[in-house]
Amino acid sequence: MGIDEIIRVIPYDEKWIALFQNEKINLIKAFGDHAIDIQHFGSTSVHGMFAKPIIDVLIGVKTLELSNSVTNKLTQLGYEGFGEAGVKGRLYFRKRQENAYNLAVVIWNSEQWVNNLLIRNYLRENPHVAKQYCERKLDAIEKGYTTLLSYSDEKANYVSNLLEQAKKNIG
């Protein structure tokens, strides 16, 4: 399967938190001491957000050079690796089974790490901004951006602006 896929956006589901917690246990075992921290991020981590029903997991590591042991364990868990997949400094893995997961493996405390958590926290702390973002997502789907890459491209500038707002909010 290629990296592009058909996507949909659905209302927030309370089970997303538990799905993350359960998968985190598997990922801790797979990464061992390679992972410094594992966080739930993306829209499924923000209460009330419409989102793709895919749990986004941010994994902070010391180095992006993962051992064969780690990659083999991820494969056993059902993950497929895509390398950087167009995002420098991030390794992208995904699992598409009964529940879907995306892994973003980045250097812990790097710009990627910090920015992803900044956006998540900003949306959690600002429900009115999260609501605006939901509207933007639904509008993108309505306009026909229903593949992962087209959807991501359609909202890229908006997400970039969100990051700038989040940075100003902490400054």
Side-chain angles (χ1 to χ4, degrees):
M1 178 187 282
I3 194 164
D4 209 9
E5 60 185 323
I6 301 293
I7 55 105
R8 62 193 175 103
V9 173
I10 65 171
Y12 183 80
D13 190 330
E14 295 289 340
K15 74 177 181 184
W16 290 340
I17 295 167
L19 289 173
F20 165 74
Q21 292 297 342
N22 291 336
E23 193 67 4
K24 181 178 178 179
I25 293 165
N26 294 328
L27 293 168
I28 288 169
K29 290 176 190 167
F31 278 86
D33 61 5
H34 289 282
I36 298 171
D37 194 6
I38 299 176
Q39 293 281 325
H40 188 187
F41 79 117
S43 296
T44 61
S45 72
V46 180
H47 193 271
M49 283 282 296
F50 276 68
K52 298 184 307 291
I54 300 169
I55 308 301
D56 289 310
V57 181
L58 188 64
I59 302 179
V61 294
K62 298 171 198 142
T63 175
L64 290 179
E65 295 171 22
L66 301 180
S67 69
N68 286 339
S69 170
V70 170
T71 55
N72 288 340
K73 287 175 184 169
L74 288 174
T75 300
Q76 289 168 5
L77 287 172
Y79 285 94
E80 182 181 12
F82 289 90
E84 288 189 331
V87 179
K88 191 168 174 45
R90 175 202 73 179
L91 296 177
Y92 173 64
F93 294 85
R94 76 173 177 208
K95 176 162 74 170
R96 299 294 185 264
Q97 293 176 356
E98 181 183 350
N99 297 300
Y101 299 87
N102 288 340
L103 305 183
V105 181
V106 302
I107 301 297
W108 181 79
N109 226 14
S110 66
E111 185 176 12
Q112 286 271 7
W113 177 267
V114 170
N115 288 349
N116 278 300
L117 295 180
L118 249 174
I119 290 172
R120 178 198 69 189
N121 294 342
Y122 182 66
L123 290 169
R124 284 178 173 176
E125 294 161 9
N126 295 277
H128 66 285
V129 176
K131 185 177 186 301
Q132 290 169 352
Y133 187 27
C134 286
E135 290 165 2
R136 181 65 181 243
K137 292 167 163 232
L138 293 171
D139 186 53
I141 294 292
E142 202 172 284
K143 287 180 178 173
Y145 297 100
T146 56
T147 64
L148 176 66
L149 297 178
S150 68
Y151 176 78
S152 297
D153 287 347
E154 170 63 13
K155 58 188 191 77
N157 285 339
Y158 190 85
V159 172
S160 180
N161 289 334
L162 266 181
L163 176 60
E164 292 310 309
Q165 288 175 39
K167 285 179 178 178
K168 286 178 188 165
N169 198 50
I170 61 164

